Amino acid sequence: MQLVYAKWRAIQWTLEKSILERCFCRNLAITFISDFLRKYAKSKKLYVFVGLNTFVMPLKCYNHARMNEQARTLRLGMAQLDVTVGDFSGNLDKMLHVLDEARRLNVGLVVFPELAICGYPPEDLLLKPQFIERNLQYLDKLVQASSGLSVIAGYVESGDYLYNAAAIICDGKHIGTYRKIFLSNYGVFDEDRYFKPGSECPVYVIDGVVVGINICDDIWQVDGPARMQAHAGAEVILNISASPYHYGRMKERIARLVSQALDNVAIVAYNNMVGGQDELVFDGGSIVLSEKGEILACGQQFAEDFIVVDIDLEAVAQARVGDSAWNQGCDMATVWPVRQVIVSQQSDNIDKPAVPPRNVVEYAIDAEIYNALVLGTRDYIYKNGFKKVVLGLSGGVDSSLVASVAVDALGKENVIGVSMPSRFSSEGSKTDALLLAHNLGIKLISLPIENTFKSYLDSLCDVFGDAGTDTTEENIQARIRGNFVMALSNKFGWLVLPTGNKSEMATGYATLYGDMAGGFAILKDVPKTLVYKLVAYRNACAGYDIIPQSVIDKPPSAELRFNQRDSDNLPPYDVLDQVLKAYVEEDKSVEQMVNMGLDEDVVRQAARLVDRSEYKRRQSPPGIKITTRAFGRDRRLPITNKFNGNG
């Protein structure tokens, strides 16, 4: 006879209350029940339900005759979707397509990401009653389409308050709702502005399996909902999420999820959104882990995916019986009320189609970042109704990388380069721009700015007098170029892609209404040193120097005066980027950075440039977040302030 944790049954055999009251903790109850069942092992089968201190523990006793039955499994399908905020019809169409596929594969439970109905993050659209109502209308449409299936989907629950919620649906009925408890309110997130946190930790019996459902940040808490649900009998902890990308994020997630699987002796299934939404990229990478922390299945990064996996529940039951540490945790205090809701009983053991084989590509860090830029660019352009983009091709490394990403995202026929040489442009830069356009197969327009530049200088001559030349004349050239690409944008409906990188945005080494002009800044969160790594990655993928080696080898220069170099105004990028990472992304002080071994003069110069350039960044276009802290909603500083971060 084997004692295991198992599913709920409609018929349950319960012990007398007086006996249970003599058990002061769950472990004593388990010992007592085990002895009791051994004594009565001759019965064909016994179903036991034990409730202690608001916890729920389902138990099942098999006699020797039932030991050879097929192991209890759940076929889980996680739909990793690229949804769009406010596109209720389009989002639902994707979900209905998944439901059709789930029926074909006889999936027991279909899961959609956090706020999949309305898209994430909806921000102040949540303040519009008509947005909330539309969200509820389309949830109803999903419910009506769920015939024969159990479904979990993220939506906005409405009442006296708004909740970030998960709907539990079965066979055309909305059975229950889980409300997110730990609201995301840091970095790019503002959930406290809109939502009220949930206050319950229900578990649901779905297809005969006890499932704990929670949302995004709930799974990151050590003593959070996952633990409560596991000790309330949940064999599977299912988390729906909309977790945006930054490099290294995938490893962080896996480490947290493995810890939850091991600590709770439970299957952990994590379903993440995928796709670009403004400056955020959701990278997918959904994953299912065994109770031992082993990967059972995972979703592709940066692509829609439907992950179907058969989960063995008997392994969880056996592991829990032998895990004394887990059993001791059963007596932990209840933070949130726990209740159990029966959604559906175990389906009949019918033959199921084979689970489709999976071939998931694992990305190295440079490949991961590059794919994030491609996905973020593609979704921003197409979701906002644009078809083509235009950018200035200077022959430099930044514009070369932007052009390459744009081609990979949109196709070469939808990318237009513009060469705008001046008297200060080197011959190498001109030929490099031509060669790059040829290698990428994109159209290149030539618009020299010399005559326009002369006209500006002539018009301003009397006003400037003998003031001499300085950055004013440099910025005039940048603004002429900005005007040219914006004119093409207005005339043909092309979106302008500025080419500045994070190092330049941080230090203000960019011209307002000049090289900062545009609609979407692909490299806004990409430091200069990382630009070179991504160029090397792209060339390695091509198998040749699709971005010419001469572009990589030349010293960085804006070419706005004779023999100009970036190093004339900035520290070397390999040093500068270390300072910027510490100061911008990690909030380290000047003293801390000096103690890290960084040169004090360089640190103070960089900090001063960052602090005084906030007004410029506030006027820059959105760009793709790929670091732990990007400029924009990730880092919100007042323009007007007297705090001196330079010490």
Side-chain angles (χ1 to χ4, degrees), residues 393-414:
L393 281 187
S394 66
V397 68
D398 297 318
S399 62
S400 298
L401 180 58
V402 170
S404 175
V405 170
V407 167
D408 290 338
L410 309 172
K412 61 185 179 182
E413 67 279 6
N414 294 317

Side-chain angles (χ1 to χ4, degrees), residues 275-295:
Q277 178 65 39
D278 294 345
E279 67 267 46
L280 301 180
V281 172
F282 300 96
D283 59 316
S286 303
I287 192 167
V288 182
L289 298 166
S290 75
E291 75 285 351
K292 297 178 181 179
E294 300 165 336
I295 296 176

Side-chain angles (χ1 to χ4, degrees), residues 347-408:
S347 57
D348 296 332
N349 289 326
I350 60 176
D351 291 335
K352 297 180 179 180
V355 173
R358 301 194 54 74
N359 182 23
V360 176
V361 177
E362 292 188 30
Y363 293 115
I365 190 65
D366 293 342
E368 192 178 89
I369 295 170
Y370 190 89
N371 278 275
L373 296 177
V374 169
L375 177 57
T377 300
R378 179 187 301 124
D379 274 6
Y380 188 87
I381 301 306
Y382 289 146
K383 288 182 179 181
N384 284 289
F386 293 96
K387 296 181 179 179
K388 295 190 177 187
V389 296
V390 61
L391 71 151
L393 281 187
S394 66
V397 68
D398 297 318
S399 62
S400 298
L401 180 58
V402 170
S404 175
V405 170
V407 167
D408 290 338

Side-chain angles (χ1 to χ4, degrees), residues 79 81 88-103 110 112 138-147 149:
L81 296 184
F88 295 101
S89 177
N91 296 345
L92 180 64
D93 285 346
K94 291 190 175 190
M95 298 167 86
L96 297 183
H97 177 76
V98 169
L99 296 188
D100 289 340
E101 179 67 5
R103 290 188 184 94
V110 183
F112 296 107
Y138 275 81
L139 174 65
D140 287 343
K141 292 177 184 289
L142 179 65
V143 172
Q144 294 167 19
S146 66
S147 175
L149 293 169

Side-chain angles (χ1 to χ4, degrees), residues 11 58 77 134 144 176 208 226 246 292 294 329 465 589 600:
I11 303 173
R134 189 76 61 81
Q144 294 167 19
H246 63 72
K292 297 178 181 179
E294 300 165 336
S589 67
E600 183 172 356

